[in-house]
Amino acid sequence: MTREQAKKRIAALSGELEEHNYRYYVLAEPSVSDFEFDKMMEELILLEKKYPEFLSPQSPSLRVGGTVTREFKTVKHKYPMLSLSNSYSEDDVRDFDERVRKSLSEKPEYVCELKYDGFAIGLTYAQGELLRAVTRGDGEKGDDVTANVKTIRSIPLRLKGRGYPDEFEIRGEIYMPRKVFEAINREREEIGDALLANPRNAAAGTMKQQDSAEVARRRLDCFLYFLLGEDLPYDEHVKNMLKSKEWGFRINPHMKICRSLEEVMKYLVYWDKARHELDYDTDGVVIKVNSYKQQQQLGFTAKSPRWAIAYKFKAAQAVTLLESISYQVGRTGAITPVANLKPVQLAGTTVKRASLHNADIIEKLDVRIGDTVFVEKGGEIIPKIVGVDLKKRPSDSRKSHYISKCPECGATLVRRDDEAQHFCPNDTGCAPQIVGKMEHFTHRRAMNIESLGSETILQFFEAGLLKNAADIYDLKKNDILKLERFKEKSAQNVMDGIEASRSAPFERVLFALGIRHVGETTAKKLAWHFREIDALMIANEMQLLDVGDIGEVIAKSVVDHFSSKDNLEMVRRLKKHGLNFKLSDEVLKGRTDKLAGMTFVVSGVFANFSRDGIKAEIEKNGGKSTGSVSKKTSYLLAGDEAGPEKLRKAESLGVKVIGEEEFRKLIR
């Protein structure tokens, strides 16, 4: 065979194999036998090995795997991957419908889709070819798992047909079919390996495998459910999803348009029972507004879209025996009571523990050691006890009394009037709190010191090398080498990870400090508002309340944190070690104070800005953006189809309503 003949044969085989993949995995209409398919794949692999110059990045042979990824590259999402607000009752869905209708001038049309219990993925296509596959990660950045995703045969490497944008992203859920999960566990049982816990965890773990050949063997599948990008074919979600099916994507056939709340409710009731007949796990239904124009009108909260909600089916329940109650101490000193149970199967996993949350829950349930209890998995990692079978309670049972001393350090527990949990106040002398704070500090979304995991931090703490986060930057390689498990390379990895963390931006350093109630989003807001740690440390509660979305609880927590001499000393030491405690000049470039002291409420659709874009412009120029109109609102910034409720409230309160052009004049 000549080179030219080989080139043509490789192209022909690639086209045929992809067409067979599409027919089998997307259309469920096999066009050849497995034997014929395998023979064609073998021929393609042999030809590509002989003529590697003709191996395409979109070759069907990559479905077999073989690429080894030593480290998954972190990629910033072009469009943040937000999570959905959860609802657990029909009343929640009715409230969602009411909020949507109040904010829109036209009647909404909903789309109901099954909520898959899998692993979220974002696929980027350029010029009709798969460019990149990225995990959700923290919503802003995720891991590039392209090599692994290419092994999933229902995901097209090259698109079919025409009419797709030059570049776009489509999102979906990777899952492990139940039949595959059961077959893998049968094999593992035969060879004496530990069984996989459940399909969801199995899918997530598989996607982080370094060897894509192992991923291919797991036979994962994928449903796609959301299209993002410029120049999309239609202005409606369903039409775009049906169009994407023509391009080769696997869309769930159970997606349904609902033109009333009653139709939505019928869909929920039907699938609550019918879901058990599917070959994949689904834990609820996603309800979306179909119109993109209306989606834009409704906008987003800091964490989720206002135009969609996830309805969760009633959780699976099991009955078992409560053998004992133990108490855990968190990094903030919060005490969490945990029920230790007689092992029981629940929703595909063996449950041995369940959360009891706090003293009030123990009192309310009147749960006692020796009780027969009802356990649920209500969307939580740790199951919870929801009731007691009083008929089976032993005659000699004794009421449970909440502990008064810390189980780790013996300090007397405290409980603030406004909080449900008890706390250990000994934050500088209680081992779990000290270790927990250091684990938080080194976390990926904080200082991102991967070489200092939980096990290593505990080892260093017990060896006396670490007493707080600032000690991390005083570590010496020779001291690490004296410890068990550490050789030259592993010790150097720790030192390299610590050195690299010094470049973390201010907002991540602030998050890493572990201020109670201050998460990633709040840390960013505080960093942007105060711009440097010194200004934040001397701020009072009133000044903190001026920051967008900062309430009294967070404001008090920040003031309390920086009232502690130990915390001030921590910042002083970390500054000395060169960590970033102010926004860089590069980040601040282009910021002004033209809107300083002004508060805006944004509503409607704009010609030159997206809703997020116009809010970013407000903050960039020193203003504040909030979600509801009040007496403190300076302007209601109204675009086309602004919410009628907001307009009425602005008029009643005498708040000035301005349009896009007036806003542009303010910031010129």
Side-chain angles (χ1 to χ4, degrees):
M1 185 180 287
T2 66
R3 286 182 76 259
E4 192 58 34
Q5 287 173 324
K7 182 179 180 181
K8 288 181 180 178
R9 182 58 180 158
I10 287 172
L13 284 167
S14 296
E16 287 180 54
L17 285 165
E18 277 303 274
E19 180 64 22
H20 294 318
N21 262 327
Y22 172 69
R23 290 186 172 279
Y24 186 92
Y25 291 99
V26 179
L27 301 182
E29 299 172 356
S31 47
V32 294
S33 68
D34 290 349
F35 176 78
E36 289 174 285
F37 185 91
D38 291 343
K39 294 297 287 183
M40 290 168 68
M41 183 65 81
E42 286 174 18
E43 183 184 355
L44 177 63
I45 292 170
L46 286 171
L47 283 171
E48 286 176 340
K49 283 182 179 178
K50 191 172 181 180
Y51 301 95
E53 64 270 30
F54 301 135
L55 173 61
S56 163
Q58 280 70 42
S59 171
S61 63
L62 297 173
R63 306 282 196 191
V64 180
T67 304
V68 176
T69 306
R70 297 295 177 198
E71 186 177 349
F72 294 103
K73 181 182 175 185
T74 300
V75 177
K76 184 176 174 62
H77 292 297
K78 185 175 181 180
Y79 309 97
M81 288 187 85
L82 301 177
S83 55
L84 294 177
S85 298
N86 288 328
S87 66
Y88 296 93
S89 70
E90 291 184 359
D91 286 342
D92 289 342
V93 176
R94 289 190 179 92
D95 290 344
F96 166 72
D97 175 62
E98 190 176 336
R99 289 195 301 272
V100 168
R101 289 175 185 275
K102 274 187 177 180
S103 301
L104 297 175
S105 55
E106 295 177 2
K107 185 180 176 182
E109 182 178 76
Y110 295 117
V111 184
C112 287
E113 301 167 333
L114 295 178
K115 184 178 181 296
Y116 321 110
D117 203 12
F119 185 81
I121 198 74
L123 309 173
T124 299
Y125 285 79
Q127 309 304 320
E129 295 184 348
L130 177 62
L131 178 67
R132 190 182 307 114
V134 182
T135 65
R136 180 194 295 279
D138 62 6
E140 290 192 6
K141 296 185 289 290
D143 291 336
D144 187 328
V145 290
T146 309
N148 286 349
V149 162
K150 284 181 176 180
T151 68
I152 300 174
R153 301 195 178 211
S154 55
I155 294 177
L157 305 178
R158 186 180 288 107
L159 300 184
K160 301 168 67 65
R162 297 177 183 176
Y164 41 78
D166 288 342
E167 185 170 320
F168 68 93
E169 182 177 345
I170 189 165
R171 288 181 178 163
E173 198 88 356
I174 291 171
Y175 68 92
M176 180 175 284
R178 287 178 185 163
K179 288 179 182 175
V180 174
F181 174 77
E182 290 162 5
I184 290 173
N185 266 350
R186 280 197 299 271
E187 292 172 11
R188 294 174 75 88
E189 193 171 26
E190 286 171 7
I191 60 175
D193 281 354
L195 302 186
L196 300 176
N198 55 58
R200 181 186 183 181
N201 291 355
T206 299
M207 284 311 298
K208 299 309 290 284
Q209 292 275 344
Q210 293 182 324
D211 185 354
S212 62
E214 182 58 33
V215 180
R217 282 191 282 273
R218 292 284 181 94
R219 291 171 288 164
L220 298 177
D221 214 329
C222 182
F223 280 122
L224 285 307
Y225 56 70
F226 196 51
L227 206 60
L228 299 117
E230 308 295 327
D231 304 319
L232 299 181
Y234 301 104
D235 292 326
E236 292 180 10
H237 171 69
V238 168
K239 286 183 178 178
N240 277 329
M241 294 318 298
L242 293 175
K243 190 66 179 176
S244 67
K245 185 177 179 181
E246 294 176 19
W247 302 337
F249 293 110
R250 185 165 182 255
I251 310 303
N252 193 286
H254 306 302
M255 176 175 64
K256 180 179 173 59
I257 291 178
C258 295
R259 293 181 172 85
S260 68
L261 184 60
E262 289 69 31
E263 288 186 25
V264 171
M265 293 303 183
K266 284 180 183 177
Y267 188 94
L268 302 183
V269 171
Y270 175 80
W271 281 107
D272 192 12
K273 293 182 179 178
R275 63 192 170 112
H276 301 293
E277 299 169 18
L278 299 170
D279 187 36
Y280 48 86
D281 287 345
T282 177
D283 60 355
V285 170
V286 175
I287 306 160
K288 299 174 185 172
V289 171
N290 191 26
S291 163
Y292 286 171
K293 188 178 181 182
Q294 290 181 339
Q295 286 183 11
Q296 195 172 12
Q297 266 184 273
L298 292 163
F300 300 82
T301 66
K303 295 181 180 178
S304 57
R306 290 191 175 95
W307 43 263
I309 194 170
Y311 171 83
K312 293 292 196 78
F313 294 128
K314 186 170 172 55
Q317 197 175 82
V319 180
T320 189
L321 195 70
L322 172 60
E323 296 182 329
S324 65
I325 298 175
S326 56
Y327 295 83
Q328 295 179 339
V329 185
R331 71 173 175 87
T332 63
I335 307 297
T336 303
V338 176
N340 300 304
L341 308 168
K342 183 178 180 181
V344 63
Q345 280 291 311
L346 176 62
T349 60
T350 301
V351 173
K352 298 178 182 177
R353 301 188 312 154
S355 175
L356 283 168
H357 299 290
N358 53 57
D360 290 344
I361 297 295
I362 292 176
E363 181 71 25
K364 181 182 175 182
L365 293 171
D366 187 23
V367 64
R368 307 179 185 186
I369 294 168
D371 274 346
T372 297
V373 293
F374 302 104
V375 185
E376 267 189 14
K377 264 191 177 178
E380 301 180 14
I381 295 172
I382 299 178
K384 60 183 178 182
I385 290 177
V386 294
V388 176
D389 189 342
L390 296 175
K391 293 176 182 175
K392 295 182 179 178
R393 171 169 282 172
S395 57
D396 60 346
S397 77
R398 295 182 179 181
K399 194 173 181 65
S400 298
H401 293 286
Y402 203 88
I403 58 172
S404 59
K405 302 284 185 182
C406 175
E408 297 289 340
C409 69
T412 300
L413 301 182
V414 297
R415 182 179 179 180
R416 303 181 183 99
D417 292 337
D418 58 341
E419 292 185 333
Q421 283 184 298
H422 286 72
F423 286 83
C424 169
N426 185 20
D427 60 336
T428 58
C430 184
Q433 292 188 63
I434 297 168
V435 173
K437 284 179 177 131
M438 289 190 284
E439 288 175 350
H440 173 79
F441 186 86
T442 61
H443 192 274
R444 178 181 175 183
R445 292 186 301 222
M447 301 308 291
N448 193 24
I449 310 176
E450 288 187 9
S451 50
L452 276 179
S454 301
E455 191 179 330
T456 302
I457 287 172
L458 181 61
Q459 185 182 3
F460 286 11
F461 171 74
E462 290 175 343
L465 296 182
L466 295 180
K467 293 179 182 176
N468 59 46
D471 291 342
I472 289 169
Y473 295 92
D474 290 325
L475 283 171
K476 300 289 187 292
K477 186 176 174 181
N478 285 340
D479 291 333
I480 296 173
L481 285 169
K482 294 174 185 175
L483 301 178
E484 190 180 339
R485 293 192 306 116
F486 282 92
K487 303 296 181 188
E488 177 68 28
K489 186 176 179 180
S490 54
Q492 188 59 49
N493 284 343
V494 172
M495 301 308 294
D496 290 345
I498 293 169
E499 188 58 36
S501 74
R502 295 178 197 268
S503 63
F506 176 31
E507 62 266 25
R508 275 178 43 202
V509 178
L510 185 56
F511 174 56
L513 292 180
I515 304 171
R516 195 157 174 241
H517 301 304
V518 174
E520 286 179 89
T521 302
T522 303
K524 282 182 184 177
K525 288 182 182 295
L526 291 171
W528 277 101
H529 185 87
F530 290 99
R531 303 191 182 187
E532 61 179 5
I533 194 72
D534 292 344
L536 176 60
M537 288 195 298
I538 61 172
N540 58 36
E541 287 187 36
M542 289 302 295
Q543 290 169 317
L544 285 158
L545 288 170
D546 281 338
V547 184
D549 299 324
I550 301 294
E552 292 179 6
V553 172
I554 295 175
K556 185 178 186 308
S557 181
V558 172
V559 170
D560 288 349
H561 185 88
F562 291 117
S563 299
S564 160
K565 290 181 181 179
D566 290 325
N567 292 334
L568 293 176
E569 175 62 13
M570 170 83 71
V571 171
R572 187 196 68 77
R573 288 182 62 196
L574 292 174
K575 273 185 177 181
K576 188 177 175 183
H577 285 298
L579 272 64
N580 292 318
F581 278 104
K582 65 178 182 178
L583 295 178
S584 66
D585 293 338
E586 185 180 345
V587 169
L588 288 170
K589 189 177 179 181
R591 292 182 69 84
T592 77
D593 293 320
K594 291 175 183 176
L595 305 180
M598 298 183 193
T599 301
F600 293 78
V601 172
V602 179
S603 182
V605 182
F606 302 91
N608 299 293
F609 296 97
S610 66
R611 282 171 66 91
D612 289 340
I614 210 162
K615 288 179 181 178
E617 201 66 29
I618 290 167
E619 292 177 9
K620 181 181 174 184
N621 287 279
K624 186 167 77 169
S625 171
T626 61
S628 56
V629 179
S630 70
K631 290 180 180 179
K632 293 183 178 181
T633 304
S634 307
Y635 297 101
L636 171 58
L637 178 47
D640 292 339
E641 305 206 17
E645 198 68 31
K646 285 189 171 77
L647 289 167
R648 279 194 292 270
K649 192 164 184 183
E651 185 181 356
S652 68
L653 293 173
V655 173
K656 186 173 181 181
V657 180
I658 63 172
E660 186 174 346
E661 192 51 45
E662 289 172 276
F663 174 73
R664 287 161 72 92
K665 286 178 183 176
L666 286 175
I667 61 175
R668 276 182 193 143

